[in-house]
C-alpha cells in the first residue's frame, strides 16, 4: 500500500531533518506513529498524503508515485483516495454538519455528488451518533462531536487510506477511547489502511504496528 524509500525532507531555517531509508505499510494495516514532540510525525503523514513533497526519495501510495505528481494531481489523489483527519478538525464554520461531511465532493470535480453519496453521509452521521445534528453548525457542537464530523468527512469518499493526526489529542480519556473505537470500526468495514499520529500510549494496543518517528528525525520540527 505505502512504500517509502530514501526519503529526505528538511526545514532549512530551523535545522529539522527527516530521513526515512525505508518504510513499507501493507494494505489494511493499522499503524500508530509515535515519538516526542517535534520528531516529525505530522511532517511524515503530510508527506505521505502529498501535502508536502520530499527533497529527495520516493513515496508510493497504492502504486502511485506521489513524488512524480504535480500539485493538482496530488491534491486530486488526496481528496479522492485519502481520508485525512486533521488535528484541529478544520471544519468550515459556515457550513452545516452535513455539508462539512460532503466537502470533498464540493472540492474535487472528479467526485460525483449523487443521491447515493448523500445517503452515505446520512448513514455515516448516524453511525457516529450525529444523525440528529446534520443541520447544525460546528460552533454548536462539543469537541467530541466535532471530531466525529471530521472523521465522517474523511470517510465519505470510501478512501483506501485514512490518515489521522492526533484525532484524540483534545479529548478526555473516555471520549478518546470512544472515538478510536468508532474510527477502527469504520476502517475495518472498508478494509482501509489507517495511519494515526498519537501521543497517547494507552491506545497503542489497538494497532497492528507502532512506528517511532523519533528514530528518523534530527533537529527541531517547525
Amino acid at each position: 500500500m505505502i512504500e517509502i524509500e530514501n526519503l529526505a525532507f528538511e526545514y532549512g531555517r530551523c535545522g529539522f531533518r527527516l530521513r526515512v531509508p525505508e518504510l513499507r505499510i501493507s494494505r489494511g494495516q493499522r499503524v500508530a506513529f509515535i515519538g516526542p514532540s517535534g520528531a516529525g510525525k505530522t511532517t511524515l503523514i503530510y508527506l505521505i498524503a502529498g501535502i508536502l513533497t520530499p527533497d529527495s526519495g520516493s513515496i508510493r501510495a497504492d502504486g502511485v508515485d506521489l513524488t512524480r505528481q504535480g500539485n493538482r494531481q496530488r491534491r486530486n489523489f488526496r481528496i479522492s483516495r485519502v481520508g485525512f483527519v486533521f488535528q484541529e478538525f478544520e471544519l468550515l464554520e459556515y457550513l452545516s454538519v452535513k455539508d462539512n461531511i460532503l466537502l470533498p465532493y464540493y472540492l474535487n470535480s472528479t467526485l460525483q455528488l449523487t443521491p447515493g453519496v448523500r445517503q452515505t453521509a446520512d448513514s455515516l452521521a448516524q453511525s457516529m451518533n450525529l444523525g440528529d445534528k446534520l443541520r447544525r453548525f460546528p460552533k454548536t457542537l462539543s469537541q467530541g462531536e466535532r471530531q466525529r464530523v471530521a472523521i465522517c468527512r474523511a470517510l465519505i469518499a470510501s478512501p483506501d487510506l485514512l490518515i489521522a493526526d492526533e484525532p484524540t489529542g483534545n479529548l478526555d480519556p473516555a471520549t478518546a477511547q470512544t472515538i478510536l473505537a468508532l474510527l477502527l470500526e469504520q476502517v475495518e468495514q472498508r478494509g482501509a489502511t489507517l495511519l494515526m499520529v498519537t501521543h497517547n500510549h494507552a491506545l497503542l494496543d489497538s494497532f497492528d504496528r507502532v512506528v517511532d518517528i523519533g528514530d528518523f528525525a534530527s533537529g527541531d520540527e517547525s
Side-chain angles (χ1 to χ4, degrees):
M1 175 63 179
I2 298 170
E3 299 174 317
I4 297 176
E5 294 183 355
N6 300 316
L7 176 70
F9 179 86
E10 64 181 79
Y11 292 110
R13 293 183 179 179
C14 67
F16 171 81
R17 295 183 300 276
L18 181 66
R19 301 286 187 271
V20 183
E22 183 179 56
L23 179 63
R24 298 180 185 275
I25 297 170
S26 302
R27 182 182 299 277
Q29 271 196 319
R30 300 178 296 183
V31 181
F33 287 154
I34 64 169
S37 180
K41 301 180 296 296
T42 295
T43 295
L44 182 57
I45 61 173
Y46 273 45
L47 286 162
I48 293 172
I51 297 172
L52 296 175
T53 55
D55 298 316
S56 61
S58 65
I59 303 172
R60 298 181 67 86
D62 204 20
V64 176
D65 188 346
L66 296 175
T67 56
R68 295 181 179 273
Q69 303 285 306
N71 289 336
R72 185 173 183 178
Q73 290 173 306
R74 289 198 313 275
R75 179 176 181 272
N76 286 340
F77 176 88
R78 182 168 63 253
I79 293 174
S80 60
R81 300 176 66 179
V82 179
F84 206 109
V85 183
F86 292 92
Q87 186 174 0
E88 299 301 327
F89 311 155
E90 302 296 341
L91 302 181
L92 298 183
E93 299 293 341
Y94 59 86
L95 293 181
S96 68
V97 166
K98 185 165 185 176
D99 282 336
N100 266 288
I101 293 172
L102 292 170
L103 187 61
Y105 285 84
Y106 301 146
L107 295 178
N108 191 342
S109 60
T110 65
L111 295 175
Q112 186 177 3
L113 182 56
T114 65
V117 170
R118 294 183 183 277
Q119 181 59 47
T120 298
D122 292 342
S123 297
L124 270 174
Q126 190 67 37
S127 71
M128 295 281 185
N129 297 319
L130 294 168
D132 60 341
K133 298 175 175 62
L134 288 169
R135 295 185 179 181
R136 290 173 59 177
F137 290 85
K139 66 180 180 180
T140 69
L141 304 178
S142 68
Q143 284 287 90
E145 289 168 343
R146 290 168 66 89
Q147 185 59 286
R148 281 179 270 160
V149 175
I151 292 172
C152 288
R153 181 185 59 195
L155 291 168
I156 186 62
S158 296
D160 298 318
L161 173 62
L162 183 65
I163 300 175
D165 188 7
E166 286 283 0
T168 63
N170 298 316
L171 306 176
D172 63 81
T175 304
Q177 290 286 355
T178 299
I179 290 296
L180 179 61
L182 290 168
L183 188 60
L184 294 174
E185 178 185 1
Q186 294 295 329
V187 167
E188 184 175 358
Q189 288 179 3
R190 289 160 173 75
T193 304
L194 172 64
L195 308 182
M196 180 173 140
V197 169
T198 183
H199 283 100
N200 188 348
H201 288 200
L203 304 177
L204 297 184
D205 286 344
S206 298
F207 292 85
D208 302 317
R209 182 179 176 190
V210 177
V211 176
D212 189 343
I213 305 305
D215 295 338
F216 299 131
S218 63
D220 296 322
E221 182 183 12
S222 64

Short mmCIF file of all heavy atoms in Angstrom, two decimals, residues 6-8 16 32 51 53 63-64 68 107 113 135 152 158:
data_model
loop_
_atom_site.label_atom_id
_atom_site.label_comp_id
_atom_site.label_asym_id
_atom_site.label_seq_id
_atom_site.Cartn_x
_atom_site.Cartn_y
_atom_site.Cartn_z
N ASN A 6 14.39 5.99 0.76
CA ASN A 6 15.40 7.05 0.76
C ASN A 6 14.78 8.44 0.85
O ASN A 6 15.24 9.38 0.20
CB ASN A 6 16.27 6.95 -0.50
CG ASN A 6 16.99 5.62 -0.60
OD1 ASN A 6 17.53 5.13 0.40
ND2 ASN A 6 16.99 5.02 -1.77
N LEU A 7 13.77 8.57 1.69
CA LEU A 7 13.07 9.85 1.83
C LEU A 7 13.92 10.83 2.63
O LEU A 7 14.46 10.50 3.68
CB LEU A 7 11.74 9.61 2.55
CG LEU A 7 10.91 10.86 2.85
CD1 LEU A 7 10.36 11.47 1.58
CD2 LEU A 7 9.77 10.52 3.81
N ALA A 8 14.01 12.05 2.12
CA ALA A 8 14.72 13.12 2.82
C ALA A 8 13.88 14.39 2.74
O ALA A 8 13.38 14.76 1.67
CB ALA A 8 16.09 13.36 2.20
N PHE A 16 15.64 21.20 11.10
CA PHE A 16 14.94 19.92 11.21
C PHE A 16 15.19 19.08 9.97
O PHE A 16 15.07 19.56 8.84
CB PHE A 16 13.44 20.15 11.38
CG PHE A 16 12.64 18.87 11.28
CD1 PHE A 16 12.53 18.02 12.36
CD2 PHE A 16 12.02 18.52 10.09
CE1 PHE A 16 11.81 16.84 12.27
CE2 PHE A 16 11.29 17.34 9.99
CZ PHE A 16 11.18 16.50 11.08
N ALA A 32 0.26 3.03 14.19
CA ALA A 32 0.36 4.22 15.04
C ALA A 32 1.75 4.82 14.88
O ALA A 32 2.76 4.10 14.97
CB ALA A 32 0.10 3.87 16.49
N ILE A 51 0.66 16.42 0.84
CA ILE A 51 0.52 17.83 1.21
C ILE A 51 1.88 18.52 1.15
O ILE A 51 2.00 19.66 0.71
CB ILE A 51 -0.10 17.96 2.62
CG1 ILE A 51 -1.51 17.35 2.63
CG2 ILE A 51 -0.14 19.41 3.07
CD1 ILE A 51 -2.14 17.26 4.00
N THR A 53 6.06 17.82 -0.15
CA THR A 53 6.86 17.00 -1.07
C THR A 53 8.28 16.87 -0.52
O THR A 53 8.84 17.82 0.00
CB THR A 53 6.90 17.61 -2.48
OG1 THR A 53 7.39 18.96 -2.39
CG2 THR A 53 5.53 17.62 -3.11
N GLY A 63 0.43 2.23 -5.42
CA GLY A 63 1.01 2.15 -6.76
C GLY A 63 1.29 3.49 -7.42
O GLY A 63 1.88 3.53 -8.50
N VAL A 64 0.87 4.58 -6.80
CA VAL A 64 1.07 5.91 -7.38
C VAL A 64 2.30 6.55 -6.73
O VAL A 64 2.38 6.66 -5.50
CB VAL A 64 -0.16 6.81 -7.15
CG1 VAL A 64 0.10 8.22 -7.67
CG2 VAL A 64 -1.38 6.21 -7.83
N ARG A 68 6.27 12.06 -8.17
CA ARG A 68 6.27 12.37 -9.61
C ARG A 68 4.98 13.08 -10.06
O ARG A 68 4.78 13.32 -11.23
CB ARG A 68 6.46 11.10 -10.43
CG ARG A 68 7.82 10.45 -10.23
CD ARG A 68 7.98 9.20 -11.08
NE ARG A 68 9.28 8.59 -10.91
CZ ARG A 68 10.37 8.91 -11.61
NH1 ARG A 68 10.28 9.85 -12.54
NH2 ARG A 68 11.51 8.31 -11.38
N LEU A 107 -15.12 20.00 -3.43
CA LEU A 107 -13.78 20.47 -3.77
C LEU A 107 -13.17 19.77 -4.97
O LEU A 107 -12.27 20.32 -5.60
CB LEU A 107 -12.84 20.28 -2.56
CG LEU A 107 -13.16 21.10 -1.31
CD1 LEU A 107 -12.18 20.74 -0.19
CD2 LEU A 107 -13.10 22.59 -1.61
N LEU A 113 -21.23 13.96 -6.84
CA LEU A 113 -22.16 14.02 -5.70
C LEU A 113 -23.53 13.53 -6.16
O LEU A 113 -24.25 14.23 -6.86
CB LEU A 113 -22.24 15.45 -5.16
CG LEU A 113 -23.14 15.66 -3.93
CD1 LEU A 113 -22.73 14.75 -2.79
CD2 LEU A 113 -23.09 17.13 -3.50
N ARG A 135 -28.12 19.33 10.45
CA ARG A 135 -28.42 20.70 10.06
C ARG A 135 -27.77 21.74 10.97
O ARG A 135 -27.90 22.94 10.74
CB ARG A 135 -29.94 20.92 10.03
CG ARG A 135 -30.65 20.08 8.97
CD ARG A 135 -32.12 20.42 8.90
NE ARG A 135 -32.81 19.65 7.88
CZ ARG A 135 -34.11 19.76 7.60
NH1 ARG A 135 -34.86 20.63 8.27
NH2 ARG A 135 -34.65 19.03 6.65
N CYS A 152 -16.22 11.55 9.78
CA CYS A 152 -17.20 11.28 8.71
C CYS A 152 -16.73 11.88 7.39
O CYS A 152 -16.84 11.25 6.33
CB CYS A 152 -18.56 11.85 9.09
SG CYS A 152 -19.42 10.96 10.40
N SER A 158 -15.00 6.87 0.82
CA SER A 158 -14.53 5.49 0.96
C SER A 158 -13.05 5.36 0.58
O SER A 158 -12.68 4.61 -0.32
CB SER A 158 -15.37 4.54 0.11
OG SER A 158 -16.70 4.52 0.55
#
